[in-house]
Amino acid sequence: MSSVMANKILIVTGDATDAKTLGDILHKAKDGPFDIEWVTRLTDALERLRAGGIDAILVDLSLSDSQGIETFDTLFGAAPQTPILTLSAEEDEALATEAVQRGSQGYLSKGHFGSYLVPQSLRNIIQRKAVEETLYLEKARAEITLNSISDAVIGTDMSGNVDYLNVAAEHMTGWLMEEARGHPISEVMQIINGATGKPETNPVELVLQQNKPMGLVAGTILIRRDGRKVAIEDSSAPIHDLNGKISGSVIVFHDITAAEAMAKKMAHLAQHDFLTNLPNRVLLNDRIEQAIILAERRGTTLAVLFVDLDNFKHINDSLGHAVGDQLLQSVAQRLTSCVRSSDTVSRQGGDEFVILVSEDKYVEDAALIADKILAALEAPHSIAGNTLHVTPSIGISVYPADARDAETLVKNADTAMYRAKGKGRNNYQFFTSDMNVRAVERQTIETHLRHALERQEFVLHYQPKVNLATGKITGAEALLRWMHPQWGMVLPDRFVTIAEESGLIVPIGRWVLREACAQVRRWEEAGLNPASIAVNISALEFRHKDFVEGVRTILNETGLAPRCLQLEITESVLMRNAESSTAILQRLKNMGVQLAVDDFGTGYSSLSYLHQFPIDVLKIDQSFVQDIASHKGNGIIVSAVIAMGTSLKQRVVAEGVEEQEQLAFLKARNCEEGQGYFFSLPLIAEQYAALLAAGIPGTVSH
Ligand code: C2E
Ligand code: MG
Ligand code: MG
């Protein structure tokens, strides 16, 4: 009889007849199958229930071990989920009704156990219980879900009164579900427009009117019960009943404060420099564009200052990036302190800063700020135990005079900054239109320079150096000339820097060295005594890894004695990296080559290094020689250098001697050698050969 699908019915009665009748009916029932178990006492019933598997209970409330409603209560307490029907005597209907009130599913009247009634009732209560259980589970699941999500959920009825809040909604609004129930949504969920501060219509009201889903206006602010404001984002939808009729609505919303803060942070990062937190190039451009629009409308001007630190790279290379970074931060602070809050200090990257001075009344305002910056950077920075000094070179361009758009303004300020660097750093320059001409000219020169070597457009001129005591020629300095087919003779000042910056100086310098050595050999072979030849070496050549070996190769190939070659290296090149300079100089010295410091006095030598360098000759820069007769200098530096050279046992050569008066001064201080127009201009090889043969007239002292 029994099958898997059979429902287990527990019959609890002391009345054996009732039990048998019920058993028979159920066994025969079409609604079956039912499995019947019969116990006579409450205690047995309870024991059986503990074992589980019972789908419904039929109980007679008067048992041998329990009577009346107590019987029901005990059973119901033991199995609250199992449907219970009571078997009641006709005179006891009141008791059966009481049991129903306390949770019983109904009762069967004794003596009236109709053959279809009993199984049908059992089937119904068992099914109802199952449906209830499913509903309960679904509801529980929904409840748990709603309370575990971080979104706030509020339900309302058709009139917009709140009938549900999940936990998140309680937290966000500050209303508990119990308090909120029955209050209008507009009271529980007060919202305003973030921009205007005006109250916003709750989307629930619109949903109920229009019976379709709605979203909040962007920038909506929720005012919590405690008055705090929270930025939110939401959507609301209608709820429909079984017939598809709208019966209420649900609104779902969440706090977007964190998302908004994150978005703000991202926007900030995209527009600011990570290291200094200053606006970056993107934001600066934006600000300049805005400032231009304003200036145009008001007829005012504005200025852009391009600030580049002069010796930053050196500090960064020698002390490391951590120190470099801190220095940039310190500089950023000082720059910011030099401008008004309406101005913008930005970092372009590296050691470059650009400042927008908006609403300039006078062009002089920009100059004032530039002066302020120069002054502000005068004081040293103390960073990680180092006392650091950086100076700025500043270029200024002005709207509308120099450019009418942001990009050109910055570009022109940059060009002006290069001029400031060229003028000896630590100063500022206003942009002038001829600077652009220069930039173009520079480009043209570089293009032509690329072909100059192969087209054999270079020649060397030779300028004698003279022993001031004897008037004899002690050697020549080889000076490079570029014979351009269209431009004519181009002097090194116009192209050597460009050749250095483009790297072209390396092959050009090698040509110079080879040509100079070869020329001396030709003079020697012609029976002349050229004594020695000095060749200028640029920074890039000097630091080139093949330089020393290149010199050796050229000496070998030309057959020139190493002592006849003198290499001139400027003081600033030597001082830039004194340690490695010493090593390179030493290798050259070991080869037997003579070494000279060119433009001495202009490169801030440290005496201790100068002492270390294996130097033979100091060439006093011509600017000091020119000072000899002037009121401000009176030759003080020249005197000092001569004295120093003597004590360091180095020969001193005075450059740029043009006048008798200078010569007399130098001779009086025992300067050994001189070079300059007073003795001879730089000459082509043939002329120089003639000079070697004849000697320099009128200089031999007696
Ligand atoms: P420098 O080595 O100091 O050369 C001396 C410069 O002074 C030369 O200019 C020379 O013509 C000029 N000078 C000579 N006597 C007098 C004088 O009495 N008065 C005045 N005012 N100037 C005088 P130049 O030939 O125009 O060369 C300029 C610079 O270009 C040189 O300065 C040197 O640094 C560089 N240079 C020249 N040739 C070469 C080269 O082959 N390679 C490299 N790397 N640089 C070179
Ligand atoms: Mg020189
Ligand atoms: Mg010089």
PDB file of all heavy atoms in Angstrom, residues 477 479 536 568 570 597-600 619-622 655-656 675, ligand 3:
ATOM      1  N   GLU A 477      96.926  78.156 -32.309  1.00  0.00           N
ATOM      2  CA  GLU A 477      95.650  77.537 -31.947  1.00  0.00           C
ATOM      3  C   GLU A 477      94.870  77.338 -33.234  1.00  0.00           C
ATOM      4  O   GLU A 477      94.746  78.269 -34.040  1.00  0.00           O
ATOM      5  CB  GLU A 477      94.839  78.411 -30.980  1.00  0.00           C
ATOM      6  CG  GLU A 477      93.476  77.782 -30.675  1.00  0.00           C
ATOM      7  CD  GLU A 477      92.668  78.533 -29.612  1.00  0.00           C
ATOM      8  OE1 GLU A 477      93.109  79.620 -29.164  1.00  0.00           O
ATOM      9  OE2 GLU A 477      91.596  78.029 -29.244  1.00  0.00           O
ATOM     10  N   LEU A 479      91.614  77.130 -35.234  1.00  0.00           N
ATOM     11  CA  LEU A 479      90.245  77.622 -35.051  1.00  0.00           C
ATOM     12  C   LEU A 479      89.415  77.242 -36.278  1.00  0.00           C
ATOM     13  O   LEU A 479      89.806  77.497 -37.416  1.00  0.00           O
ATOM     14  CB  LEU A 479      90.263  79.136 -34.836  1.00  0.00           C
ATOM     15  CG  LEU A 479      90.965  79.542 -33.533  1.00  0.00           C
ATOM     16  CD1 LEU A 479      91.336  81.027 -33.554  1.00  0.00           C
ATOM     17  CD2 LEU A 479      90.104  79.229 -32.307  1.00  0.00           C
ATOM     18  N   ASN A 536      90.871  72.824 -29.912  1.00  0.00           N
ATOM     19  CA  ASN A 536      89.764  72.941 -28.950  1.00  0.00           C
ATOM     20  C   ASN A 536      88.936  71.669 -28.910  1.00  0.00           C
ATOM     21  O   ASN A 536      88.559  71.131 -29.953  1.00  0.00           O
ATOM     22  CB  ASN A 536      88.855  74.110 -29.338  1.00  0.00           C
ATOM     23  CG  ASN A 536      89.565  75.444 -29.173  1.00  0.00           C
ATOM     24  OD1 ASN A 536      89.778  75.901 -28.065  1.00  0.00           O
ATOM     25  ND2 ASN A 536      89.956  76.031 -30.304  1.00  0.00           N
ATOM     26  N   GLU A 568      92.829  71.919 -25.740  1.00  0.00           N
ATOM     27  CA  GLU A 568      92.203  72.972 -24.926  1.00  0.00           C
ATOM     28  C   GLU A 568      90.809  72.524 -24.516  1.00  0.00           C
ATOM     29  O   GLU A 568      89.965  72.243 -25.363  1.00  0.00           O
ATOM     30  CB  GLU A 568      92.111  74.277 -25.728  1.00  0.00           C
ATOM     31  CG  GLU A 568      93.453  74.891 -26.027  1.00  0.00           C
ATOM     32  CD  GLU A 568      93.312  76.315 -26.570  1.00  0.00           C
ATOM     33  OE1 GLU A 568      92.162  76.837 -26.623  1.00  0.00           O
ATOM     34  OE2 GLU A 568      94.350  76.891 -26.954  1.00  0.00           O
ATOM     35  N   THR A 570      87.586  73.629 -21.953  1.00  0.00           N
ATOM     36  CA  THR A 570      87.167  74.779 -21.145  1.00  0.00           C
ATOM     37  C   THR A 570      86.997  74.363 -19.693  1.00  0.00           C
ATOM     38  O   THR A 570      86.721  73.204 -19.376  1.00  0.00           O
ATOM     39  CB  THR A 570      85.838  75.406 -21.621  1.00  0.00           C
ATOM     40  OG1 THR A 570      84.828  74.423 -21.493  1.00  0.00           O
ATOM     41  CG2 THR A 570      85.920  75.895 -23.049  1.00  0.00           C
ATOM     42  N   VAL A 597      93.695  74.597 -19.912  1.00  0.00           N
ATOM     43  CA  VAL A 597      92.342  74.973 -19.504  1.00  0.00           C
ATOM     44  C   VAL A 597      91.972  76.243 -20.251  1.00  0.00           C
ATOM     45  O   VAL A 597      92.629  77.271 -20.101  1.00  0.00           O
ATOM     46  CB  VAL A 597      92.264  75.235 -17.984  1.00  0.00           C
ATOM     47  CG1 VAL A 597      90.833  75.573 -17.590  1.00  0.00           C
ATOM     48  CG2 VAL A 597      92.756  74.038 -17.218  1.00  0.00           C
ATOM     49  N   ASP A 598      90.919  76.151 -21.074  1.00  0.00           N
ATOM     50  CA  ASP A 598      90.508  77.290 -21.900  1.00  0.00           C
ATOM     51  C   ASP A 598      89.514  78.161 -21.129  1.00  0.00           C
ATOM     52  O   ASP A 598      88.842  77.677 -20.216  1.00  0.00           O
ATOM     53  CB  ASP A 598      89.851  76.756 -23.179  1.00  0.00           C
ATOM     54  CG  ASP A 598      89.947  77.746 -24.336  1.00  0.00           C
ATOM     55  OD1 ASP A 598      90.359  78.907 -24.089  1.00  0.00           O
ATOM     56  OD2 ASP A 598      89.613  77.351 -25.470  1.00  0.00           O
ATOM     57  N   ASP A 599      89.441  79.403 -21.520  1.00  0.00           N
ATOM     58  CA  ASP A 599      88.484  80.353 -20.927  1.00  0.00           C
ATOM     59  C   ASP A 599      88.570  80.354 -19.413  1.00  0.00           C
ATOM     60  O   ASP A 599      87.557  80.425 -18.709  1.00  0.00           O
ATOM     61  CB  ASP A 599      87.046  80.024 -21.355  1.00  0.00           C
ATOM     62  CG  ASP A 599      86.878  80.056 -22.867  1.00  0.00           C
ATOM     63  OD1 ASP A 599      87.797  80.583 -23.538  1.00  0.00           O
ATOM     64  OD2 ASP A 599      85.863  79.560 -23.366  1.00  0.00           O
ATOM     65  N   PHE A 600      89.774  80.301 -18.901  1.00  0.00           N
ATOM     66  CA  PHE A 600      89.933  80.186 -17.464  1.00  0.00           C
ATOM     67  C   PHE A 600      89.388  81.434 -16.758  1.00  0.00           C
ATOM     68  O   PHE A 600      89.588  82.554 -17.202  1.00  0.00           O
ATOM     69  CB  PHE A 600      91.418  79.987 -17.089  1.00  0.00           C
ATOM     70  CG  PHE A 600      91.596  79.713 -15.635  1.00  0.00           C
ATOM     71  CD1 PHE A 600      91.300  78.456 -15.116  1.00  0.00           C
ATOM     72  CD2 PHE A 600      92.009  80.722 -14.763  1.00  0.00           C
ATOM     73  CE1 PHE A 600      91.431  78.209 -13.764  1.00  0.00           C
ATOM     74  CE2 PHE A 600      92.131  80.478 -13.409  1.00  0.00           C
ATOM     75  CZ  PHE A 600      91.841  79.220 -12.905  1.00  0.00           C
ATOM     76  N   LYS A 619      94.634  79.276 -19.851  1.00  0.00           N
ATOM     77  CA  LYS A 619      94.397  80.369 -20.787  1.00  0.00           C
ATOM     78  C   LYS A 619      93.398  81.333 -20.159  1.00  0.00           C
ATOM     79  O   LYS A 619      92.214  80.994 -19.991  1.00  0.00           O
ATOM     80  CB  LYS A 619      93.842  79.834 -22.119  1.00  0.00           C
ATOM     81  CG  LYS A 619      94.863  78.978 -22.872  1.00  0.00           C
ATOM     82  CD  LYS A 619      94.371  78.642 -24.272  1.00  0.00           C
ATOM     83  CE  LYS A 619      94.637  79.790 -25.243  1.00  0.00           C
ATOM     84  NZ  LYS A 619      94.272  79.413 -26.636  1.00  0.00           N
ATOM     85  N   ILE A 620      93.882  82.525 -19.787  1.00  0.00           N
ATOM     86  CA  ILE A 620      93.005  83.509 -19.146  1.00  0.00           C
ATOM     87  C   ILE A 620      91.964  83.973 -20.160  1.00  0.00           C
ATOM     88  O   ILE A 620      92.315  84.399 -21.269  1.00  0.00           O
ATOM     89  CB  ILE A 620      93.783  84.753 -18.672  1.00  0.00           C
ATOM     90  CG1 ILE A 620      94.975  84.341 -17.827  1.00  0.00           C
ATOM     91  CG2 ILE A 620      92.870  85.695 -17.905  1.00  0.00           C
ATOM     92  CD1 ILE A 620      95.811  85.531 -17.398  1.00  0.00           C
ATOM     93  N   ASP A 621      90.721  83.933 -19.780  1.00  0.00           N
ATOM     94  CA  ASP A 621      89.661  84.315 -20.704  1.00  0.00           C
ATOM     95  C   ASP A 621      89.834  85.766 -21.135  1.00  0.00           C
ATOM     96  O   ASP A 621      90.222  86.634 -20.348  1.00  0.00           O
ATOM     97  CB  ASP A 621      88.292  84.134 -20.046  1.00  0.00           C
ATOM     98  CG  ASP A 621      87.181  84.252 -21.074  1.00  0.00           C
ATOM     99  OD1 ASP A 621      87.083  83.355 -21.925  1.00  0.00           O
ATOM    100  OD2 ASP A 621      86.436  85.260 -21.038  1.00  0.00           O
ATOM    101  N   GLN A 622      89.495  86.004 -22.412  1.00  0.00           N
ATOM    102  CA  GLN A 622      89.757  87.337 -22.966  1.00  0.00           C
ATOM    103  C   GLN A 622      88.974  88.446 -22.278  1.00  0.00           C
ATOM    104  O   GLN A 622      89.398  89.599 -22.283  1.00  0.00           O
ATOM    105  CB  GLN A 622      89.554  87.362 -24.471  1.00  0.00           C
ATOM    106  CG  GLN A 622      88.196  86.898 -24.938  1.00  0.00           C
ATOM    107  CD  GLN A 622      88.185  86.739 -26.454  1.00  0.00           C
ATOM    108  OE1 GLN A 622      89.174  86.311 -27.049  1.00  0.00           O
ATOM    109  NE2 GLN A 622      87.086  87.094 -27.081  1.00  0.00           N
ATOM    110  N   GLU A 655      94.500  85.446 -23.373  1.00  0.00           N
ATOM    111  CA  GLU A 655      93.769  85.429 -24.641  1.00  0.00           C
ATOM    112  C   GLU A 655      93.270  86.831 -24.967  1.00  0.00           C
ATOM    113  O   GLU A 655      93.015  87.623 -24.066  1.00  0.00           O
ATOM    114  CB  GLU A 655      92.520  84.541 -24.522  1.00  0.00           C
ATOM    115  CG  GLU A 655      92.772  83.067 -24.428  1.00  0.00           C
ATOM    116  CD  GLU A 655      91.448  82.310 -24.511  1.00  0.00           C
ATOM    117  OE1 GLU A 655      90.710  82.271 -23.513  1.00  0.00           O
ATOM    118  OE2 GLU A 655      91.166  81.785 -25.596  1.00  0.00           O
ATOM    119  N   GLY A 656      93.104  87.107 -26.250  1.00  0.00           N
ATOM    120  CA  GLY A 656      92.447  88.343 -26.678  1.00  0.00           C
ATOM    121  C   GLY A 656      93.258  89.604 -26.414  1.00  0.00           C
ATOM    122  O   GLY A 656      92.706  90.655 -26.093  1.00  0.00           O
ATOM    123  N   GLN A 675      98.016  85.833 -26.788  1.00  0.00           N
ATOM    124  CA  GLN A 675      97.409  85.466 -28.070  1.00  0.00           C
ATOM    125  C   GLN A 675      96.383  86.545 -28.335  1.00  0.00           C
ATOM    126  O   GLN A 675      95.683  86.988 -27.422  1.00  0.00           O
ATOM    127  CB  GLN A 675      96.740  84.085 -27.939  1.00  0.00           C
ATOM    128  CG  GLN A 675      96.045  83.580 -29.185  1.00  0.00           C
ATOM    129  CD  GLN A 675      95.313  82.254 -28.924  1.00  0.00           C
ATOM    130  OE1 GLN A 675      95.556  81.606 -27.890  1.00  0.00           O
ATOM    131  NE2 GLN A 675      94.449  81.870 -29.831  1.00  0.00           N
TER     132      GLN A 675
HETATM  133 MG    MG B   3      89.275  80.863 -24.932  1.00  0.00          MG
END
